[in-house]
């Protein structure tokens, strides 16, 4: 309910004008607002707290600085106990930037935040301190550090109502950033609430320049990037397309100074030539890959002598694009693409 107060759909709407046309227009606007509010309520009840960020028209009380001059505001409700304790202690919604330098790899543990911002005037809440031993058995602790449960940022979905539409479809819900919640899961939640006939749910993940004001984070083409030049290796140079791969002397030299971050053994045949190699998930399990992708990108920066990072261009197969894991494999693909600034190469150079 607190989240709903941040969006315009929850505000009262006065009648506009006194003429017949104005009265009809006012009734249509009220109906749109009612449907929008029902959709927001349904999605918050279905996925909050959890890895979903909802973007909708901001309530008039929301400061402009929080809207990036778009008129929209994003809100999510995290499930991590430390984040929830912080919100409870604040007793107000918290507006804050990500805890990493702009464009750099996202943090998944307190140590990552210190690596990026340790020289700044910030306080870091480290949930590793005083954690019970049983947390080490449920995946929340690795090497003594508390880690995020999902590993990648939340799905971002934007709700827009069709103010000029005369059709039954009243609004669009657009996925702006892939995460653990799929578009199919959103459709199913709307269907259970008898709202699916009013909305079209679609994906529209963009790659924008750093100068564009975006309503959602993670939209710039260069994002999640390690401090070492990163490139995607095109599908034509991956193992499923090459039974025997030959490298010239120049490529061997480059690989000897390069880190390979793989997914599903696509670049496994280059491992003997690489300075260092890690596979996010040899079995192509997107949950495992998502949980370690940011930590692995940060690891690539620490490899002595590394001058480049290579990742595979993910051309997904049919069996990788069905079911709930589909959401996370799209997230993994998105993170690797942005880490490499969407640059695909077919030569190690």
């Amino acid at each position: 309910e607190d989240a709903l107060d941040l969006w315009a759909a929850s505000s009262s709407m006065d009648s506009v004008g006194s003429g017949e046309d104005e009265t009809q227009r006012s009734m249509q606007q009220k109906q749109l607002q009612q449907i929008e509010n029902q959709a927001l309520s349904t999605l918050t009840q279905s996925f909050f707290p959890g890895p979903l960020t909802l973007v909708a028209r901001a309530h008039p009380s929301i400061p402009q600085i929080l809207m990036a001059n778009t008129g929209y505001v994003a809100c999510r409700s995290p499930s991590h106990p430390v984040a929830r304790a912080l919100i409870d202690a604040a007793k107000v919604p918290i507006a804050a930037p990500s805890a990493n330098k702009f464009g750099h790899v996202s943090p998944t543990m307190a140590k990552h935040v210190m690596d990026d911002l340790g020289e700044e005037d910030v306080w870091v809440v480290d949930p590793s301190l005083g954690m019970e031993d049983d947390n080490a058995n449920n995946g929340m602790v690795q090497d003594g550090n508390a880690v995020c449960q999902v590993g990648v940022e939340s799905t971002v979905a934007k709700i827009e109502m069709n103010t000029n539409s005369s059709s039954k479809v009243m609004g669009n819900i657009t996925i702006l950033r892939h995460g653990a919640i799929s578009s199919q899961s959103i459709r199913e939640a709307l269907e259970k609430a008898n709202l699916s006939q009013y909305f079209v749910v679609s994906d529209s993940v963009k790659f924008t320049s750093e100068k564009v004001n975006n309503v959602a984070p993670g939209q710039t083409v260069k994002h999640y990037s390690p401090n070492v030049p990163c490139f995607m290796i095109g599908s034509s140079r991956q193992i499923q397309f090459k039974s025997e791969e030959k490298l010239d002397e120049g490529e061997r030299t480059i690989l000897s100074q390069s880190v390979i971050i793989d997914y599903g053994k696509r670049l496994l045949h280059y491992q003997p030539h690489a300075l260092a190699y890690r596979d996010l998930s040899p079995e192509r399990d997107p949950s495992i890959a998502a949980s370690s992708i940011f930590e692995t990108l940060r690891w690539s920066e620490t490899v002595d002598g590394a001058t480049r990072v290579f990742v595979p261009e993910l051309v997904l197969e049919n069996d990788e694009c069905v079911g709930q894991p589909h959401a996370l494999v799209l997230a993994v693909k998105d993170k690797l693409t942005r880490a490499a600034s969407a640059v695909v190469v077919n030569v190690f150079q």
Side-chain angles (χ1 to χ4, degrees), residues 112-128:
H112 295 162
V113 181
M114 290 301 298
D115 289 342
D116 271 15
L117 305 176
E119 300 300 319
E120 308 294 334
D121 184 19
V122 297
W123 289 67
V124 177
V125 179
D126 188 351
S128 304

Side-chain angles (χ1 to χ4, degrees), residues 148-153 178-182 262-266 279-294 296 314 316-336:
C148 296
Q149 291 172 302
V150 176
V152 294
E153 295 97 338
H178 292 301
I181 305 299
S182 67
D262 204 358
Y263 177 69
K265 301 180 181 179
R266 286 171 164 85
D279 196 319
L280 298 172
S281 174
E283 296 78 24
R284 301 191 182 188
D285 185 326
S287 298
I288 293 176
S291 68
S292 62
I293 185 169
F294 288 143
T296 303
L314 294 194
L316 302 179
E317 299 176 2
N318 290 336
D319 60 349
E320 294 179 282
C321 297
V322 295
Q324 181 58 28
H326 173 52
L328 280 177
V329 77
L330 288 176
V332 170
K333 177 179 179 176
D334 182 80
K335 306 320 176 201
L336 291 179

Side-chain angles (χ1 to χ4, degrees), residues 131-147:
M131 293 190 73
E132 300 297 333
D133 291 340
D134 58 358
N135 283 324
N137 298 321
N138 63 17
M140 293 183 66
V141 177
Q142 293 178 4
D143 300 326
N145 293 304
V147 297

Side-chain angles (χ1 to χ4, degrees), residues 196-324:
S196 58
Q197 69 269 30
Y198 299 122
F199 291 94
V200 172
V201 182
S202 61
D203 290 5
S204 182
V205 176
K206 299 178 180 179
F207 294 84
T208 68
S209 78
E210 296 178 359
K211 298 179 180 179
V212 175
N213 287 333
N214 292 303
V215 297
Q219 301 290 286
T220 54
V221 65
K222 183 178 181 181
H223 212 72
Y224 319 116
S225 300
N227 293 329
V228 178
C230 184
F231 307 92
M232 284 187 289
I233 294 298
S235 58
S236 64
R237 295 295 300 271
Q238 296 176 23
I239 198 167
Q240 63 264 50
F241 295 95
K242 293 280 187 179
S243 58
E244 183 177 347
E245 183 66 46
K246 294 183 179 179
L247 297 169
D248 61 34
E249 195 61 33
E251 288 191 305
R252 289 176 183 271
T253 300
I254 292 296
L255 274 171
S256 70
Q257 304 166 3
S258 301
V259 174
I260 292 178
I261 298 175
D262 204 358
Y263 177 69
K265 301 180 181 179
R266 286 171 164 85
L267 304 177
L268 179 62
H269 49 313
Y270 299 117
Q271 180 180 8
H273 309 286
L275 177 64
Y277 174 95
R278 279 191 187 180
D279 196 319
L280 298 172
S281 174
E283 296 78 24
R284 301 191 182 188
D285 185 326
S287 298
I288 293 176
S291 68
S292 62
I293 185 169
F294 288 143
E295 189 278 330
T296 303
L297 284 167
R298 284 178 176 266
W299 159 78
S300 70
E301 302 174 335
T302 68
V303 177
D304 288 340
T307 60
R308 294 168 180 77
V309 176
F310 291 105
V311 301
E313 177 192 20
L314 294 194
V315 178
L316 302 179
E317 299 176 2
N318 290 336
D319 60 349
E320 294 179 282
C321 297
V322 295
Q324 181 58 28

Side-chain angles (χ1 to χ4, degrees), residues 12-123:
S12 60
M13 185 173 180
D14 297 328
S15 298
V16 179
S18 56
E20 184 176 339
D21 290 344
E22 293 295 339
T23 300
Q24 184 177 3
R25 187 178 298 113
S26 177
M27 291 176 62
Q28 291 174 342
Q29 291 283 45
K30 285 183 177 180
Q31 185 182 20
L32 283 173
Q33 184 170 313
Q34 182 181 28
I35 295 297
E36 182 181 11
N37 194 44
Q38 289 176 1
L40 286 166
S41 180
T42 294
L43 295 178
T44 54
Q45 290 176 18
S46 299
F47 301 110
F48 281 16
L52 177 66
T53 296
L54 289 172
V55 180
R57 290 180 306 114
H59 190 277
S61 64
I62 301 300
Q64 283 290 330
I65 194 173
L66 300 183
M67 296 185 285
N69 297 317
T70 64
Y72 286 77
V73 67
C75 179
R76 71 165 296 218
S77 177
S79 58
H80 195 285
V82 173
R84 298 213 62 79
L86 184 62
I87 295 171
D88 289 342
K91 301 186 186 304
V92 293
I94 297 175
S98 300
N100 61 292
K101 294 181 179 178
F102 179 77
H104 193 218
V105 184
S106 299
T108 55
M109 60 180 70
K111 179 183 180 300
H112 295 162
V113 181
M114 290 301 298
D115 289 342
D116 271 15
L117 305 176
E119 300 300 319
E120 308 294 334
D121 184 19
V122 297
W123 289 67

